[in-house]
Amino acid sequence: MITLTTDFGLGGPYVGEMKVAMLRVNPNARLIDVTHSIRRHSIVEGSFVMEQVVKYSPEGTVHVGVIDPGVGTSRRAVIIEGEQFLVVPDNGLATLPMKHIKPRRAYEIDFKRIRRFTGWRISSTFHGRDVFGPAGALLEAGIEPGQIGTEIPLESLVRLNVEPRREGDGWLLTVLSIDDFGNVILNLENYGTLRAVELPDLGVRVSYLDTYGQVKPGELLALPGSHDYLEIAVNQGSAAERLGLKVGDEVRVKLIGGD
């Protein structure tokens, strides 16, 4: 199957154009819409969302991600081959999903080769339809990535700086995503047993609990999110609105251990 993650939105023809272009190349492709509502140009959020889907996808799945503010510039379009495939702009979007596919090789997509497969010209502003979508469809049909692009060193790929950073007795973390419930997802995993979480710059200290319903509606809490990252939430409310946070913000966090 082929998963699709973009920031195209649903108000225009873009998603439909990309999907029919893919089916024209590979009529038997099974397309899975993950989301087309990534915040515009938010490479960090797109990388987080793709990571979650990769975690639960079977070997051989092709993941097409198009959050591409540099479309038409010198940024590369790439295929990353491992236990699964990533087809993405080389702008850091692959950073988080790449952790889970055991990457072996990377390829820069050759636009001339793509044109030979598709037969249509490549727009300078819509590589989702003209490059990434068709490349993903060709891979799913069994075309080898070396027929679509030229191998490049894995270490040359652009990576986001989303590693949590130690700072004194706490952490400097990044907001990876804010979901539709307003939950704030931070880039810290495997942090052990906690009793509370403090956000000193925001003057907030909250209990660390297992689930939302353990506090009253409207109350803040911290919890182990379903994506294995530290999460700040409000029961039946929006932590992002309460705390004034958005994707990409840095947050100072102090973890208070369990007894």
Side-chain angles (χ1 to χ4, degrees):
M1 61 185 173
I2 307 173
T3 76
L4 307 175
T5 302
T6 79
D7 62 352
F8 294 169
L10 297 174
Y14 306 112
V15 174
E17 285 183 68
M18 182 171 70
K19 292 170 78 171
V20 296
M22 295 171 73
L23 292 171
R24 182 170 165 181
V25 170
N26 177 2
N28 297 316
R30 185 158 64 114
L31 307 180
I32 308 295
D33 295 289
V34 176
T35 182
H36 300 288
S37 299
I38 298 295
R39 289 166 179 80
R40 292 177 185 173
H41 316 308
S42 183
I43 297 166
V44 169
E45 185 176 43
S47 189
F48 166 80
V49 169
M50 289 189 72
E51 178 189 21
Q52 307 320 310
V53 178
V54 164
K55 285 181 185 177
Y56 299 100
S57 297
E59 189 170 347
T61 302
V62 178
H63 301 277
V64 176
V66 192
I67 295 89
D68 193 16
V71 62
T73 69
S74 59
R75 71 93 184 92
R76 299 179 296 189
V78 298
I79 296 165
I80 303 166
E81 178 187 13
E83 292 180 347
Q84 302 175 51
F85 293 93
L86 306 176
V87 184
V88 293
D90 185 24
N91 58 11
L93 186 60
T95 303
L96 295 175
M98 195 161 47
K99 296 190 304 184
H100 304 277
I101 68 166
K102 297 180 181 176
R104 296 187 293 268
R105 286 177 286 273
Y107 301 82
E108 181 175 1
I109 298 172
D110 186 318
F111 289 10
K112 290 180 180 178
R113 296 187 206 177
I114 288 288
R115 283 193 67 181
R116 284 199 291 269
F117 279 109
T118 65
W120 62 77
R121 74 176 187 88
I122 293 175
S123 161
S124 62
T125 59
F126 196 2
H127 289 178
R129 177 195 64 197
D130 298 336
V131 177
F132 298 111
L138 290 166
L139 290 171
E140 202 270 345
I143 300 297
E144 292 295 325
Q147 295 179 256
I148 303 170
T150 302
E151 189 167 356
I152 58 175
L154 274 170
E155 57 271 19
S156 74
L157 296 171
V158 174
R159 287 171 170 80
L160 299 172
N161 182 15
V162 288
E163 288 296 316
R165 285 181 281 166
R166 269 286 186 186
E167 195 173 78
D169 62 349
W171 295 88
L172 186 62
L173 303 181
T174 300
V175 178
L176 293 179
S177 182
I178 294 168
D179 68 17
D180 287 346
F181 296 96
N183 301 325
V184 176
I185 300 167
L186 299 168
N187 63 325
L188 186 65
E189 303 173 277
N190 305 316
Y191 41 82
T193 303
L194 301 179
R195 180 165 43 88
V197 172
E198 185 177 342
L199 310 178
D201 292 348
L202 300 175
V204 170
R205 177 174 169 141
V206 296
S207 297
Y208 181 85
L209 301 169
D210 292 325
T211 192
Y212 311 101
Q214 289 178 275
V215 298
K216 295 177 182 178
E219 288 188 3
L220 277 161
L221 72 153
L223 71 163
S226 60
H227 303 110
D228 304 321
Y229 287 102
L230 180 63
E231 185 176 304
I232 309 296
V234 170
N235 184 17
Q236 300 179 41
S238 171
E241 290 180 6
R242 176 80 64 86
L243 301 174
L245 294 173
K246 61 185 184 300
V247 173
D249 282 350
E250 291 189 328
V251 184
R252 297 182 200 282
V253 174
K254 185 176 180 182
L255 307 179
I256 293 88
D259 297 328

